[in-house]
């Protein structure tokens, strides 16, 4: 069964982190009077596992995270983070039209508010939209439960005012927080990350991103790109050329680009 099927509204099953926490507590208590050092080591190992779970959400240690598809077919999906922006997002939309494929745009609330016309255009062209927090603070997951929930809720409300309801949240820079699962349960949302990226640092490094994406690409990959300006016209041209190489290369690998909802069997956008 694929990852997405294990994510249920009102989740009642204990996560691996919760189960491990209970086991660690019992073990630490059992050995404390024999060896306080051993008890401390058990607690330390558990803390390390929780930290690793934040930086490697594909472990699904803290709570269920969708990081790749479960279609079992030769499908992949394209996702774009951090926009919308002008003119990058519109250029990408035109490129996607050229290849007749649909993508998902994980937008920040502040950029959606700045470019409502692009949000409408994304929906009008048949693409889906995900929540990427309000401000895209790279340190968001180090903040309090209340601050994280406020960031997600603000972006959610801005999109809702534009007629877009999304059930997917992608954390900035792909890092999660132990409390994020509970927040998303309360908001009836799921966490969607990725498993195929170019290491472009938000379009700071755009050369050869197609090669990085296409090397070892596999069915059910969730591909991460960015729809933000690179900083100069020449690099913007390089980025669009590389993005087109990704689209053409996927087909050459006998893979088909499908909407994210098809890959994970879950609706992303209601508009």
């Amino acid at each position: 069964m694929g990852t997405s099927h294990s994510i249920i509204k009102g989740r009642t099953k204990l996560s691996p982190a919760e189960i491990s926490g209970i086991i660690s507590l019992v073990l630490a208590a059992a050995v404390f009077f024999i060896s306080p050092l051993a008890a401390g080591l058990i607690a330390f190992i558990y803390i390390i596992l929780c930290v690793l779970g934040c930086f490697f959400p594909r472990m699904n240690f803290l709570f269920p995270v969708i990081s790749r598809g479960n279609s079992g077919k030769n499908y992949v999906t394209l996702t774009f983070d951090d926009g919308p922006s002008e003119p990058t997002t519109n250029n990408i939309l035109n490129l996607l039209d050229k290849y007749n494929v649909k993508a998902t745009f994980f937008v920040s609330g502040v950029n959606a508010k700045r470019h409502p016309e692009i949000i409408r255009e994304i929906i009008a062209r048949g693409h889906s939209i995900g929540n990427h927090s309000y401000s895209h603070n790279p340190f968001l997951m180090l903040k309090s439960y209340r601050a994280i929930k406020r960031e997600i809720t603000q972006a959610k409300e801005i999109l809702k005012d534009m007629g877009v309801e999304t059930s997917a949240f992608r954390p900035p820079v792909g890092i999660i927080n132990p409390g994020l699962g509970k927040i998303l349960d309360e908001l009836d949302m799921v966490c969607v990350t990725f498993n195929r990226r170019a290491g472009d640092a938000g379009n700071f490094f755009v050369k050869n991103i197609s090669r990085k994406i296409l090397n070892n690409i596999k069915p059910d990959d969730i591909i991460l790109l960015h729809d933000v300006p690179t900083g100069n016209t020449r690099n913007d041209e390089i980025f669009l050329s590389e993005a087109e190489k990704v689209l053409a290369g996927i087909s050459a690998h006998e893979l088909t680009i499908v909407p994210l909802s098809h890959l994970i069997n879950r609706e992303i956008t209601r508009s």
Side-chain angles (χ1 to χ4, degrees), residues 77-80 88-105 122 125-128 225 227 240 243-244 246-247 257:
T77 196
L78 281 176
T79 64
F80 293 88
T88 308
T89 304
N90 282 322
N91 289 336
I92 290 171
L93 288 173
N94 292 335
L95 186 60
L96 294 173
D97 280 352
K98 178 180 176 180
Y99 284 82
N100 193 31
V101 298
K102 305 303 178 187
T104 299
F105 292 80
I122 290 171
R125 299 202 196 189
H127 305 286
S128 57
L225 293 169
D227 61 323
L240 283 175
E244 183 157 16
V246 170
L247 291 169
I257 301 171

Side-chain angles (χ1 to χ4, degrees), residues 190-250:
V190 295
C191 184
V192 180
T193 57
F194 47 83
N195 70 310
R196 187 69 55 192
R197 66 187 303 176
D200 55 24
N203 279 354
F204 190 79
F205 305 107
V206 295
K207 290 183 179 180
N208 299 318
I209 60 174
S210 60
R211 177 174 54 80
K212 296 173 185 176
I213 291 291
L214 296 172
N215 278 353
N216 300 314
I217 193 169
K218 294 178 175 63
D220 275 324
D221 278 353
I222 297 177
I223 300 167
L224 166 64
L225 293 169
H226 293 87
D227 61 323
V228 291
T230 65
N232 66 71
T233 302
R234 174 56 183 156
N235 281 342
D236 286 343
E237 292 172 354
I238 291 173
F239 166 68
L240 283 175
S241 174
E242 289 293 314
E244 183 157 16
K245 288 178 183 178
V246 170
L247 291 169
I250 289 172

Side-chain angles (χ1 to χ4, degrees), residues 143-161:
K143 294 183 177 293
S144 67
Y145 180 95
R146 182 176 296 179
I148 294 171
K149 186 173 182 179
R150 181 171 60 247
E151 279 273 330
I152 299 172
T153 301
Q154 281 183 307
K156 188 177 180 72
E157 290 175 350
I158 286 171
L159 290 172
K160 188 174 181 179
D161 287 344

Side-chain angles (χ1 to χ4, degrees), residues 24 28 31 35-48:
S24 298
V31 304
S35 174
L37 181 61
L41 181 60
I42 291 170
F44 178 72
I45 291 172
Y46 175 68
I47 292 170
I48 292 298

